[in-house]
Amino acid sequence: GFDPPHQSDTRTIYIANRFPQNGLYTPQKFIDNRIISSKYTVWNFVPKNLFEQFRRVANFYFLIIFLVQLMIDTPTSPITSGLPLFFVITVTAIKQGYEDWLRHNSDNEVNGAPVYVVRSGGLVKTRSKNIRVGDIVRVAKDEIFPADLVLLSSDRLDGSCHVTTASLDGETNLKTHVAVPETAVLQTVANLDSLVAVIECQQPEADLYRFMGRMIITQQMEEIVRPLGPESLLLRGARLKNTKEIFGVAVYTGMETKMALNYKSKSQKRSAVEKSMNTFLIIYLIILISEAIISTILKYTWQAEEKWDEPWYNQKTEHQRNSSKILRFISDFLAFLVLYNFIIPISLYVTVEMQKFLGSFFIGWDLDLYHEESDQKAQVNTSDLNEELGQVDYVFTDKTGTLTENEMQFRECSVNGIKYQEINGRLVPEGPTPDSSEGNLPYLSGFSHLSNLAHLTGSSSFRTSPENETELIKGHDLFFKAVSLCHTVQISHVQSDGIGDGPWQASLASPQLEYYASSPDEKALVEAAARIGIVFIGSSEEIMEIKILGKLERYKLLHVLEFDSDRRRMSVIVQACSGEKLLFAKGAESSILPKCIGGEIEKTRIHVDEFALKGLRTLCVAYRQFTPKEYEEIDRRLFEARTALQQREEKLAEVFQFIERDLVLLGATAVEDRLQDKVRETIEALRMAGIKVWVLTGDKHETAVSVSLSCGHFHRTMNILELINQKSDNECAEQLRQLARRIKEDHVIQHGLVVDGTSLSLALREHERLFMEVCRNCSAVLCCRMAPLQKAKVIRLIKISPERPITLAVGDGANDVSMIQEAHVGIGIMGKEGRQAARNSDYAIARFKFLSKLLFVHGHFYYIRIATLVQYFFYKNVCFITPQFLYQFYCLFSQQTLYDSMYLTLYNICFTSLPVLIYSLLEQHVDPHVLQNKPTLYRDISKNRLLSIKTFLYWTILGFSHAFIFFFGSYFLMGKDISLLGNGQMFGNWTFGTLVFTVMVITVTVKMALETHFWTWINHLVTWGSIIFYFIFSLFYSGILWPFLSSQNMYFVFIQLLSSGSAWFAIILMVVTCLFLDVVKKVFDRQLHPTSTEKAQLTETNASVKCLDSMCCFPGEAASASVRRMLERALGRCGPAHLSRSWSASDPFCTNDRSVLTLSTMDSSTC
């Protein structure tokens, strides 16, 4: 985000922009309400884009070469550099311009949304971008707030409204916001128009949960001051729920809203491969400059002798004799530079751009990444980072909606020590009932069974003596009453077309109810009670109404003891119709069970542990009955604590402890935040691949830990360390030191770390290194209660750590955008929280489970392909230019070119471009299934291993050695005046150059063929087609006198070369010599130091020819002996040991072109 510049620490906002009339006031300037996520404008696109592109070493270098060719007389034409450069710049600019145009469109959609503003006594419809600070805005139900507003009034008398901030912090629960009492009563436009008030508040800041200000209201010439806090602020991006309409005054607009401040500016992401390419280019630039300097110095050394300075056949002109030596030296140096400049391959950038662009389609086409239910396929928003998917070290993921489905479902409960499961809206006791003829009779399929005890006796769990039955029923009744009353759920009475919130609606007494809760667990529990027959109808003023099997019961709500993270429970005190006063409490088992003195405590504790092991979120429910005297004291103490001016929080905590004791345990509930499909397997696979997984969530600590355990992010065997609720720097530092000590002392166990937002900001402020040390030694880290910008900060911290790991962020809401943009690779989940994450990401997928295929298969392939492509390009250009350099030693450094200019231009464009492009699109060195099933293979390519200096040097040395063989092989063949033609003619310099060029084209093409593991008809076509095309082109080119060429150097040269048997022999000999060394090295490497990937290739090859084993016959079967020996030699694998299994018709077979399909059972005995 950015911190906007401001003159003062506070801003003064006159509501409805009614400025004081005394003339002395100068209004503060505020920005408009436009959101800008695009990078370019029409005016700055050309200069900004050109600047970004010329930051690439190769682009800048070719621009310089192009200018040199224009300025001085050089051996080659300026077109050879200018045309490819223009092509690269144009293609890239079009691609980036199109991507930014899409961003502009989405911005215009947001900024042009219609809104209603109160102006001059009426409602005026305008566009979102026209809202100014101070405007009163009207927002209706289910609309998104267009700016950060301070709530003035709602359709409720108390001025409250409910909001969901799912797209900001990932929480789907409802939050309650309240207006100050003086403005809450102004519920009409006319009333609001008469409001005279001023808001003073802090300047914009990114923290979503902080807001401080005050409102000064003038009523009857008297000023009333009211404090404003986060409960008064409605954030842009949040959505109004369960409230017909609200009026609010805009305090922060546009890029100053908290949502926008949590966005990061979109910076150009560059992959590790591109950075390696730039490093290699610089090394090659040094080689190029060295070659040019050596050639220039040797030229002048040679010319120091009189006879070589001005030989009789090449006299200098008067101008040349009088020109400055320094200028001549510079001119010669630049001419050599141009002559050798092909060592820097600009076509590499064209090929890489094409490979990335075309390669990205494979992700969209992959049916394994298609989600049928939502009809969504994977999207690629940035093709520049394909290979980065193969380099990930850290995965940072959001929790709600990314790992989970964002839907809570009631699963089980324990009532009075008996465990029940919910099956089809009915509660069924767990465990078999052998003595029941009908099996388990469902308990409570509605509460109708309560009136008829005979129904209950069908289940053995309920077979009790008659006097206990009433007790038992009472216990169950009370449990579900507690669930239906102990909550802060709100109700929306929807129209009869009912936008329900789940399957529970069908079984409700009144299907027009829609529940909204501040916690999704509460909502799931109230819905479950409704399905079972105790329906919460709603609360008005202080009355809560529930229907038990159609019979209405009213309870007076006396007090709500709110949930807090220290107590980890919430309670309500209600008065029943009979006048008895009851406390219902629910909370984590660690906070309820110690307070209980009655009920089935031990049985319930065992059940709660069983629920937790299944990854369910558990709550315990208990109650207490008060005598009139006890309640009087409680009421008095609560009133005193709530009105205390000093230490109010401590006093309330003390009273809550006093009230919530001596409880009777009713039971426990188990709710599931349904994990997405295959999340556990995906996280496990990521871990096996050597990737560390961090979960960053805005959720509460307990919820986050529970989901981490259920999705396999934390293991049960893990030692979980906590850094939470730290209040000061010193406390935080001390805690971190303790954790570091514990990790050192206990290095056998795996550790998981839980840290919350406040502790994290303290840790990052002063103790970054200590915090990072603790994190690096933990195999899993969970950060909860995180603000969006904190997520980005954590990723930044990891990015800049000494190892410089590659990070990947996955999220589905607007609150994840900043971390998606900060990480090297950002992946958006197309979820239920809007499309902001998917729009701002580099890749968008429909489900978290698709991540494994995206990384282990696509990432692996893209990285292997592009790494080989880059190395191969440098190799073939070294092969191309080194003979040119060596040739200068034999032509007195006269800058004579070895190859014809047509060959110079077409070498990279036509003769050698297609095989490597097709390789970089289709290569599969291992079967995709093997890669996905063996995540450990991902480690083979991590840390940019295939583009290390070692492999780079290998390819470069290989290029130089091949170039020496091409040049000196040809030279020794023809260097001594030997006639190689039948008519006694000698070969000239163009024939010599063409011979070198022919050997080179064949060698580099066959070298690419040796690198290819996955052959398709396209590979065969382009590989052998390139060689054939070269021969056909050369025959045409040298067989005709072309009228538009200034010199006809090549006329008949190629035909003459091919008519010599010795030349053919030389070509074959040199190609075999070059590639033989390479093949030998490969064989030795594979035998002595095979990588996991090479072992997998071997296993896979064995699997695909295994059915040939059945053709092998064994000693004593003379008829097939010759076949056996032949196959033994061919495969080196036949023998009884290899016949480990027989093939059956049902066996799975790989579907690629290397597998052999057998249709019937084969066995060695059938041989």
Side-chain angles (χ1 to χ4, degrees), residues 137 235 250 296 321 349 544 717 751 782 833 892 898 917 988:
V137 182
L235 301 179
T296 317
R321 286 198 189 99
Y349 275 96
M544 294 179 88
T717 53
H751 297 278
L782 166 67
E833 293 179 15
L892 279 184
L898 174 64
L917 177 63

Side-chain angles (χ1 to χ4, degrees), residues 1042-1153:
W1042 299 96
F1044 53 84
L1045 290 177
S1046 51
S1047 62
Q1048 302 290 343
N1049 297 328
M1050 291 299 290
Y1051 180 64
F1052 221 64
V1053 166
F1054 196 71
I1055 297 162
Q1056 212 174 27
L1057 177 71
L1058 294 191
S1059 62
S1060 160
S1062 317
W1064 278 106
F1065 173 73
I1067 290 170
I1068 293 164
L1069 184 69
M1070 283 189 275
V1071 170
V1072 170
T1073 309
C1074 285
L1075 298 173
F1076 178 72
L1077 299 168
D1078 199 31
V1079 171
V1080 168
K1081 183 196 174 292
K1082 271 186 188 309
V1083 169
F1084 272 101
D1085 272 359
R1086 272 174 177 267
Q1087 290 302 317
L1088 303 174
H1089 315 288
T1091 62
S1092 318
T1093 310
E1094 286 165 350
K1095 286 176 189 166
Q1097 286 172 341
L1098 202 64
T1099 342
E1100 194 194 340
T1101 315
N1102 291 353
S1104 62
V1105 290
K1106 198 153 190 173
C1107 47
L1108 289 179
D1109 285 353
S1110 52
M1111 290 165 61
C1112 306
C1113 297
F1114 302 109
E1117 294 168 338
S1120 308
S1122 58
V1123 180
R1124 174 178 66 79
R1125 279 198 299 276
M1126 184 184 78
L1127 280 167
E1128 273 183 341
R1129 281 199 294 272
L1131 300 173
R1133 313 188 314 104
C1134 277
H1138 284 91
L1139 274 161
S1140 52
R1141 55 163 289 180
S1142 61
W1143 293 81
S1144 72
S1146 61
D1147 276 339
F1149 288 93
C1150 296
T1151 51
N1152 69 9
D1153 60 353

Side-chain angles (χ1 to χ4, degrees), residues 19-25:
F19 302 118
Q21 298 303 312
N22 54 19
L24 300 172
Y25 175 74

